[in-house]
Amino acid sequence: MTSTQPHITTAGADPRLAGGRLTIDLDALVANWTFLAEKSKPAKASAVVKANAYGLGIEQVVPVLWDAGCRTFFVALVEEGLRVKAVAPDARVFVLNGLFAEARPVYETSKLIPVLGSDFEINLWTRANAESGLKLPYALHVDTGMNRLGLTVAEALEFAANTREMPVLVMTHLATADEPGHLLNQRQFESFQKLRAAFAGIESSASNSSGIFHAVSNGGDLSRPGIAMYGGEALAGVANPMRPVVTLEARVVQIRTGLKGETAGYGATALLERDTRIAICSTGYADGYLRSLSGSGTPLRNVVHKGGEGFVAGHKVPVIGRVTMDMTSFDVTGLPEASIKPGDYIELFGHNIALDDAARAAGSIGFELLTSLGNRYHRRYLYSGKGD
């Protein structure tokens, strides 16, 4: 009988020496991608693995998604694309962040596909194709309302009417898809349908994680799930249906008692209103646990009064004072003394504290917390291959 227990692989710092650990549930990741792929139908689902697979590791994430049936990946940079190809040689990989002339030889040998979004890039690519005699494929990025990368809709329509060297994919990016009621969504989808008509027969893509939860018929032939695949929220104000993928924990170095009337941390910003038991953990902003999660002493606390929280011994415990480069302190006064000791772990986000709740306490988003994760953690990857 095949075991259903997840296999554990490790990476990063030695667990005996690290001040914190990341547990990455690859089964949950696959389950999330499968859910999003089903929701994307009749479109096919790709996977966005830029920024080192949102901080989780391209080398660990891409193979399990490939095994789950994902065949197309999006990255930001050529270097990331080469890493995808190293673990999934047959994958189709699009590079989002434009084209630099010096990169052309790498495209010729790697079969990566650039996403072009300006006349300059298109001319550079087609001229190189003509000079080399190679008809290397490219994707076309059209700006339908974000004012970032891409041809304007008018430029793209003119290009479609006049070019002989068509792209293999035409795509756009949604600016406000996480806010379902925003008027820009409809305008972008309407522009996208004009593009689909002009580029008839060419694969098209508009839906990111948030876009997948809009009308599927508007989203093109290929969806591009990102944050939702990693467990983050896709839509604002809506219960998150995705499974948590990442658990971040900090290790307790010391537990001390501060007396009523004393202060804690840099700047003496935390005034102790009672005798307070403080758990000092070996994780800080150098590890990606943002300084804005401080319980006091940062500008954000003038607007959002509640800072970050940890979870230990069945209870949430607040950050006290400022998050520092290498350490964060938690108020554990309410816990029984025997329930926490040096060497224990306090969850910073995961199953008990949602990624996006932690991000909101920092005045940020789940994207930033994940992609800020440092390299000093011990990493544990759980994978049974079941994806359920």
Side-chain angles (χ1 to χ4, degrees):
M1 179 179 294
T2 302
S3 173
T4 59
Q5 292 299 313
H7 176 65
I8 301 174
T9 58
T10 62
D14 187 317
R16 299 168 300 175
L17 311 177
R21 69 185 178 193
L22 282 166
T23 302
I24 299 160
D25 186 344
L26 295 176
D27 285 320
L29 175 86
V30 168
N32 287 344
W33 181 83
T34 302
F35 171 83
L36 293 163
E38 184 66 27
K39 196 165 184 63
S40 297
K41 289 181 176 178
K44 292 184 178 180
S46 66
V48 179
V49 294
K50 60 184 181 176
N52 195 27
Y54 284 49
L56 306 191
I58 283 174
E59 288 74 16
Q60 290 79 18
V61 166
V62 168
V64 300
L65 291 176
W66 178 267
D67 288 346
C70 184
R71 295 294 179 263
T72 300
F73 298 86
F74 285 84
V75 297
L77 303 171
V78 171
E79 182 270 339
E80 296 173 336
L82 295 175
R83 289 171 62 192
V84 173
K85 282 289 193 178
V87 293
D90 295 327
R92 184 174 63 154
V93 183
F94 291 97
V95 180
L96 292 165
N97 278 27
L99 174 68
F100 300 113
E102 302 90 331
R104 169 71 189 206
V106 180
Y107 281 105
E108 291 183 4
T109 58
S110 67
K111 297 184 179 179
L112 298 174
I113 305 173
V115 179
L116 309 181
S118 70
D119 287 336
F120 174 82
E121 291 175 347
I122 293 168
N123 291 335
L124 181 65
W125 190 255
T126 54
R127 187 167 60 249
N129 273 353
E131 291 172 354
S132 67
L134 300 172
K135 296 298 182 183
L136 298 185
Y138 71 97
L140 184 68
H141 195 157
V142 183
D143 175 36
T144 56
M146 193 166 188
N147 265 319
R148 200 170 62 173
L149 297 179
L151 298 181
T152 66
V153 174
E155 289 170 337
L157 295 177
E158 182 180 357
F159 179 80
N162 294 297
T163 189
R164 292 183 179 181
E165 198 168 329
M166 279 287 193
V168 295
L169 174 74
V170 59
M171 62 169 284
T172 193
H173 194 62
L174 303 174
T176 59
D178 59 326
E179 303 176 50
H182 201 291
L183 294 177
L184 182 56
N185 291 321
Q186 188 59 36
R187 293 202 297 271
Q188 286 197 266
F189 279 130
E190 288 173 356
S191 294
F192 182 61
Q193 299 315 310
K194 293 178 183 178
L195 294 170
R196 294 188 73 189
F199 289 88
I202 303 298
E203 190 176 17
S204 61
S205 177
S207 291
N208 53 10
S209 286
S210 302
I212 291 170
F213 290 86
H214 289 262
V216 176
S217 60
N218 283 334
D221 307 302
L222 183 71
S223 68
R224 308 191 306 272
I227 189 64
M229 183 172 67
Y230 302 101
E233 293 178 0
L235 297 179
V238 177
N240 185 5
M242 313 314 298
R243 287 174 52 175
V245 173
V246 185
T247 299
L248 173 62
E249 297 170 289
R251 202 166 194 189
V252 177
V253 177
Q254 183 183 119
I255 298 172
R256 63 184 303 117
T257 298
L259 301 180
K260 180 180 179 179
E262 294 180 343
T263 60
Y266 278 127
T269 60
L271 176 64
L272 306 183
E273 298 179 352
R274 59 179 178 176
D275 291 352
T276 304
R277 291 180 68 235
I278 304 170
I280 298 96
C281 294
S282 186
T283 294
Y285 57 75
D287 304 292
Y289 194 65
L290 305 179
R291 187 175 183 271
S292 54
L293 283 155
S294 299
S296 60
T298 62
L300 181 64
R301 294 288 79 82
N302 297 326
V303 180
V304 181
H305 297 294
K306 184 178 180 181
E309 293 180 309
F311 185 90
V312 63
H315 296 275
K316 290 183 177 181
V317 292
V319 173
I320 185 169
R322 289 176 176 165
V323 175
T324 65
M325 183 181 292
D326 310 295
M327 288 181 280
T328 302
S329 297
F330 295 87
D331 183 344
V332 296
T333 308
L335 301 184
E337 286 194 20
S339 66
I340 182 171
K341 63 185 182 303
D344 288 349
Y345 288 91
I346 293 180
E347 179 187 311
L348 306 182
F349 61 78
H351 286 271
N352 299 290
I353 298 175
L355 167 67
D356 291 280
D357 287 343
R360 276 186 281 272
S364 186
I365 54 177
F367 297 77
E368 186 181 21
L369 280 189
L370 286 183
T371 58
S372 297
L373 295 172
N375 58 13
R376 299 195 294 186
Y377 295 115
H378 172 62
R379 290 175 173 238
R380 303 187 304 165
Y381 290 89
L382 310 182
Y383 185 53
S384 69
K386 301 296 182 182
D388 53 18

